Amino acid sequence: IAVWFWRMPVETARRMREQRAFKQLERGLLALTEGDWGAAEKALEKSASVQGRTTAHYLAAAQAADSQDAPERREYYLEQADSGGSKKRFLVELTRARMLLANGNRAAALPILQDLYKRRRKHPQVLELLSRCYRELAEWDELQAMLPALQKSAVLNDEQAQELQEEVAVNKLRSASSAKDL
């Protein structure tokens, strides 16, 4: 009984911190869904700092910061989220690449996506983002090399694959500057 009374304040304080963190997480996710980026970022940061380093909290905070056009804060949250093993690092890099592409920064997203592709060649999200990046950067040879993987992983159906193959062929013909290239 004495030990129980001795530990009770510590356990109570821990439970209260967890409840506060959970309320902040819920508040942050609701604000993120609602589009209130500032409130979402603030609540998610509080929930992550109270409960410890939690990858999901920091990834959501990075999304909120990115939605506010705050790349420095976005990178800070992504770095905080990247404290785990290879699975978490993969998620962080995938999120970083997705945000860079959404902001039109294809050149910065390309090496990240190529590295992710080397690690997981069949991941549908990596394939989809990398093919979109190649398409927007007019890297037609690389995109053509990816076509079988895109079909095999069901990122593209047969009709979409055919359309993409035609687009690649047309653009490669347009880019030919000499008879030898043609």
Side-chain angles (χ1 to χ4, degrees):
I1 292 175
V3 171
W4 183 76
F5 276 120
W6 180 262
R7 289 185 182 173
M8 192 173 77
V10 173
E11 286 296 314
T12 303
R14 183 188 57 78
R15 272 190 252 129
M16 288 177 63
R17 277 193 311 272
E18 287 176 357
Q19 287 175 347
R20 262 187 266 132
F22 183 74
K23 285 180 184 177
Q24 289 292 342
L25 174 63
E26 184 179 23
R27 187 175 294 133
L29 292 176
L30 290 173
L32 189 65
T33 304
E34 189 178 294
D36 187 357
W37 313 123
E41 181 182 356
K42 189 182 227 181
L44 289 163
E45 184 179 21
K46 283 181 184 178
S47 74
S49 63
V50 169
Q51 198 173 22
R53 294 183 178 258
T54 307
T55 303
H57 297 223
Y58 283 120
L59 289 177
Q63 176 66 41
D66 186 60
S67 298
Q68 297 177 73
D69 290 327
E72 303 85 22
R73 290 197 321 262
R74 176 194 68 211
E75 286 303 316
Y76 168 76
Y77 293 129
L78 289 172
E79 287 172 16
Q80 295 299 312
D82 193 13
S83 62
S86 63
K87 174 85 172 159
K88 290 181 180 180
R89 189 165 297 116
F90 177 81
L91 291 171
V92 170
E93 291 301 314
L94 183 61
T95 303
R96 179 177 280 124
R98 187 180 299 122
M99 289 178 187
L100 287 169
L101 273 178
N103 293 327
N105 198 346
R106 294 165 202 81
L110 183 61
I112 296 169
L113 288 167
Q114 287 172 331
D115 182 53
L116 293 175
Y117 181 66
K118 286 178 187 172
R119 287 193 267 163
R120 299 204 183 149
R121 293 191 172 274
K122 296 179 182 178
H123 194 280
Q125 197 55 209
V126 172
L127 289 168
E128 192 268 323
L129 291 172
L130 185 58
S131 67
R132 191 171 96 199
C133 191
Y134 281 149
R135 190 179 204 173
E136 292 172 1
L137 290 171
E139 300 284 345
W140 305 114
D141 292 329
E142 289 83 355
L143 185 56
Q144 186 175 17
M146 282 187 66
L147 275 170
L150 290 166
Q151 277 185 289
K152 195 172 186 178
S153 66
V155 171
L156 299 177
N157 61 31
D158 291 337
E159 183 180 320
Q160 292 169 324
Q162 182 64 33
E163 288 173 12
L164 185 58
Q165 196 162 10
E166 289 172 7
E167 181 183 351
V168 167
V170 166
N171 284 300
K172 285 177 76 172
L173 286 172
R174 282 187 185 146
S175 66
S177 59
S178 67
K180 183 181 176 185
D181 291 341
L182 189 58

